[in-house]
Amino acid sequence: RFANLLGANLKKESELNDKVDLSKLDKFDLVIFWGYNPMETNIKDAHYIQESRYEGVKFITLTPEYNQTARCSDLWIPIKSGSDDLVVMNLIYEIINNSAQKNLVTKYNKSDFSEYAPEKTEKITKINPHVIKQLAKQLAKSKNPKIICGNGYKSQENLNYLRSILGMNLKNVEKVNKFAFLSDFNGRYKAREDDGLPKEMVIATASSLFNKKPKEFKDTFLQEVKFIVCIDTKASESAIYADIVLPATGIYESWDIYNFSTKKEKLLISKPPFGLKNIGESKDEWSIFAQIAQKLEFIANKPENMLSNKIEDDTQYTASGYHDLSTFYQEYVNQNDVLNQMGTDELAYNIVRKRLNNDAINSTYKTNIQDNVVQEIENLPSTQEETSSYMYDFIFKKTKWNKNRNYSTSTLLLRLQRGEPIVIMNNVTAKKNGLMDAKKVMISNENGEFISRLKTSSSVPFDAVIMNDGWENFMFQDRLGYSEILSDKTKISVNIKRVNL
């Protein structure tokens, strides 16, 4: 609402490939979790997996590490980090050459894909060809298979080709904004997505600007952006580099309505406990932006600014062709007949809730199903084995209760982590290299290095180092976090050694 009135760019949300609804898994006969670990990251819905197994659904998990989802699956395939596209091509090759529907699928191919026979890529994927062949047979025989991907597999174009030749309907899932009526002002304003160009000023609301980005990104960002405002509930990495930090109230400390994904899409209502006082100067985000809007309007109406308070803009973003800063606050808190004066967060909450109830909006997602549409192969992966002077794959892993991190204040859940950044390594590999559990180690490659504490586990591949994401740079020694070793490459390789501190 604030950005549309101002004509500011909004950060583009990541594209949704397919909405995961674990409650409907029982309608499939074969489910493949590819780089997805719901038994840890979506614990509240994970019971649907076990219940579906009672209904006869078979589950197969492909992840580098042996995790909780792999433990509860019928088959775990320890896929080599970064070889996902190759394994997909292995399956495509096997299905095309051995499927009873060969005549159906081969008419869409421009190549026989013989270079992707599982025997020829085994050195890279580290998966026995027999396992690939058996998986391909099960997929081909399955009457209603489902492949669900997590963050562990980001490039999914070729996977959609595999889905399509198996006769799986491809879904184009578009997120529907239930709150669009709040920000379009009866169609007078339209959201402007981030165009990637350098920005003079950035307002980061509960956003980690530098997390999981190469260190070069931070340097470039800080050179291009002249002024940073951070609105957050905590002293984040973004707050450290901000020119102004505005403390915000946390969840359940203010009035709020937001989407909550369950078996049916619902709205989660948040109300502060009676008599709760804000901590320090913290305010809810509505009040913060309302005060900024009020001050902006005050400045715009000063005599020296009267001739320049209407900012011209393209009519695709504002119907009038300009943004009127002289009425900015009036428009921000009032929307003609739809919303009355919204002077406080509680009043705004009640009006919005009434409007949403009247609209009876039932779904947050709009799904377009493409039936019998076969995708084309986008990019053929290389079959050449990469040589590296670094011994270990560096793998990111989502934390437990990732989808429900509101509950991370639970005393029991706090015992699941050590309160500081850790990397996890196979206990056998660690012993061979003279590394010990709970000791500090240095992780390094050609980009840089950082120090973390080590945890050993038999569930980690012998040639990998795993780290839960979410840690911010200031939590590491010398404020040098894992961004030091990141680059634009999809696959990150590192060395690890003990440090004496």
Side-chain angles (χ1 to χ4, degrees):
R1 185 177 179 86
F2 186 91
N4 287 0
L5 268 177
L6 191 62
N9 290 275
L10 289 168
K11 184 179 178 182
K12 186 177 180 181
E13 291 190 18
S14 57
E15 296 294 329
L16 291 169
N17 176 60
D18 195 354
K19 184 173 180 294
V20 178
D21 188 350
L22 299 183
S23 68
K24 298 180 180 178
L25 293 181
D26 56 354
K27 70 178 183 179
F28 303 101
D29 58 356
L30 175 64
V31 176
I32 295 179
F33 291 133
W34 201 306
Y36 182 47
N37 183 18
M39 280 289 183
E40 293 187 30
T41 61
N42 190 8
I43 295 178
K44 70 178 182 65
D45 291 334
H47 64 93
Y48 290 117
I49 298 173
Q50 298 290 48
E51 291 165 11
S52 299
R53 293 184 71 191
Y54 280 110
E55 298 295 327
V57 183
K58 185 169 187 176
F59 287 88
I60 298 175
T61 296
L62 284 85
T63 51
E65 82 285 3
Y66 185 72
N67 54 39
Q68 290 296 322
T69 305
R71 184 182 66 83
C72 298
S73 299
D74 298 275
L75 176 66
W76 168 56
I77 300 177
I79 189 169
K80 171 77 172 174
S81 175
S83 67
D84 304 87
D85 270 339
L86 269 180
V87 175
V88 168
M89 295 306 299
N90 291 157
L91 294 172
I92 291 172
Y93 169 82
E94 287 295 323
I95 291 171
I96 287 175
N97 286 278
N98 300 297
S99 173
Q101 297 179 330
K102 181 177 177 181
N103 293 333
L104 172 64
V105 296
T106 52
K107 67 179 181 179
Y108 298 103
N109 297 305
K110 300 176 183 178
S111 168
D112 61 1
F113 301 128
S114 58
E115 62 189 298
Y116 296 105
E119 294 83 3
K120 296 183 179 181
T121 62
E122 182 182 4
K123 287 186 177 180
I124 303 176
T125 64
K126 307 297 184 184
I127 300 177
N128 190 297
H130 175 72
V131 175
I132 297 290
K133 294 176 187 291
Q134 291 301 312
L135 179 57
K137 284 182 181 179
Q138 291 186 52
L139 279 168
K141 289 193 305 181
S142 175
K143 295 180 180 178
N144 192 13
K146 176 74 171 177
I147 302 176
I148 301 175
C149 284
N151 290 331
Y153 186 18
K154 300 184 184 303
S155 174
Q156 300 183 31
E157 292 89 353
N158 293 350
L159 187 58
N160 281 337
Y161 180 90
L162 172 62
R163 287 180 170 124
S164 61
I165 66 174
L166 288 168
M168 299 169 62
N169 290 330
L170 300 181
K171 293 182 180 180
N172 177 26
V173 183
E174 178 185 350
K175 191 170 184 180
V176 178
N177 185 3
K178 288 184 177 182
F179 307 101
F181 73 92
L182 282 173
S183 58
D184 64 7
F185 295 86
N186 291 329
R188 290 189 293 120
Y189 295 98
K190 185 179 179 182
R192 176 189 256 107
E193 287 188 344
D194 191 358
D195 53 16
L197 297 175
K199 303 295 183 291
E200 185 174 348
M201 177 180 178
V202 169
I203 300 178
T205 306
S207 174
S208 182
L209 295 171
F210 312 118
N211 194 24
K212 290 190 75 171
K213 293 182 176 66
K215 57 184 177 181
E216 291 79 13
F217 172 85
K218 182 197 292 184
D219 296 337
T220 304
F221 183 92
L222 294 175
Q223 287 175 4
E224 294 177 347
V225 179
K226 306 303 180 186
F227 198 85
I228 302 173
V229 178
C230 177
I231 302 175
D232 210 333
T233 60
K234 61 184 184 298
S236 62
E237 182 79 2
S238 303
I240 290 176
Y241 289 91
D243 297 277
I244 293 178
V245 179
L246 301 176
T249 53
I251 187 171
Y252 303 128
E253 293 179 342
S254 58
W255 298 84
D256 208 351
I257 305 177
Y258 53 96
N259 297 330
F260 183 66
S261 180
T262 58
K263 192 169 185 179
K264 291 184 179 180
E265 291 299 332
K266 297 182 179 179
L267 293 176
L268 185 61
I269 309 300
S270 169
K271 298 180 182 180
F274 179 77
L276 179 71
K277 295 182 179 180
N278 290 357
I279 298 173
E281 297 182 4
S282 64
K283 290 179 171 57
D284 62 277
E285 286 144 283
W286 164 262
S287 299
I288 290 174
F289 279 102
Q291 287 192 32
I292 297 173
Q294 190 173 28
K295 189 66 176 179
L296 186 59
E297 181 179 305
F298 173 77
I299 295 172
N301 284 308
K302 285 187 174 183
E304 61 268 28
N305 296 325
M306 293 294 288
L307 297 178
S308 58
N309 57 20
K310 290 182 173 57
I311 312 300
E312 292 185 5
D313 197 3
D314 196 300
T315 53
Q316 67 172 313
Y317 300 116
T318 172
S320 63
Y322 62 87
H323 299 271
D324 191 353
L325 301 185
S326 67
T327 59
F328 194 88
Y329 175 70
Q330 296 175 51
E331 284 195 279
Y332 183 73
V333 298
N334 183 71
Q335 190 187 346
N336 298 332
D337 298 330
V338 179
L339 297 178
N340 295 316
Q341 186 76 13
M342 303 204 311
T344 66
D345 56 331
E346 181 179 353
L347 182 58
Y349 160 91
N350 288 323
I351 294 172
V352 172
R353 183 181 181 186
K354 181 179 178 181
R355 168 64 190 266
L356 289 173
N357 287 338
N358 290 340
D359 283 1
I361 305 173
N362 296 318
S363 179
T364 313
Y365 296 89
K366 182 168 61 178
T367 304
N368 299 318
I369 299 179
Q370 299 172 301
D371 194 11
N372 297 324
V373 176
V374 175
Q375 300 285 101
E376 291 292 336
I377 293 289
E378 294 287 335
N379 297 298
L380 292 174
S382 172
T383 56
Q384 299 299 314
E385 189 173 5
E386 293 184 16
T387 57
S388 174
S389 58
Y390 300 100
M391 299 177 62
Y392 306 104
D393 297 331
F394 189 80
I395 303 172
F396 280 113
K397 179 182 177 183
K398 290 291 184 183
T399 56
K400 283 196 173 187
W401 286 93
N402 179 72
K403 193 172 181 181
N404 307 90
R405 50 193 175 272
N406 297 338
Y407 303 106
S408 61
T409 53
S410 161
T411 304
L412 177 63
L413 292 177
L414 285 172
R415 291 168 57 191
L416 298 178
Q417 52 101 354
R418 301 187 180 192
E420 64 178 317
I422 60 168
V423 293
I424 312 171
M425 190 179 199
N426 185 277
N427 53 331
V428 175
T429 306
K431 187 175 181 179
K432 285 183 178 179
N433 289 275
L435 304 175
M436 298 175 61
D437 187 273
K439 297 297 183 181
K440 289 195 173 182
V441 293
M442 177 179 288
I443 296 89
S444 62
N445 60 14
E446 70 274 13
N447 302 312
E449 59 192 30
F450 71 94
I451 293 174
S452 177
R453 204 170 292 279
L454 179 69
K455 176 182 172 68
T456 59
S457 170
S458 59
S459 65
V460 181
F462 293 115
D463 59 350
V465 175
I466 292 179
M467 186 167 206
N468 292 334
D469 63 8
W471 301 106
E472 298 198 65
N473 289 337
F474 72 89
M475 300 175 178
F476 292 81
Q477 182 172 314
D478 300 325
R479 286 168 54 181
L480 300 176
Y482 50 61
S483 60
E484 298 296 312
I485 65 164
L486 300 183
S487 68
D488 294 330
K489 295 180 181 178
T490 303
K491 184 177 178 181
I492 306 297
S493 299
V494 298
N495 282 336
I496 183 169
K497 66 178 182 179
R498 181 175 176 176
V499 294
N500 295 315
L501 297 173

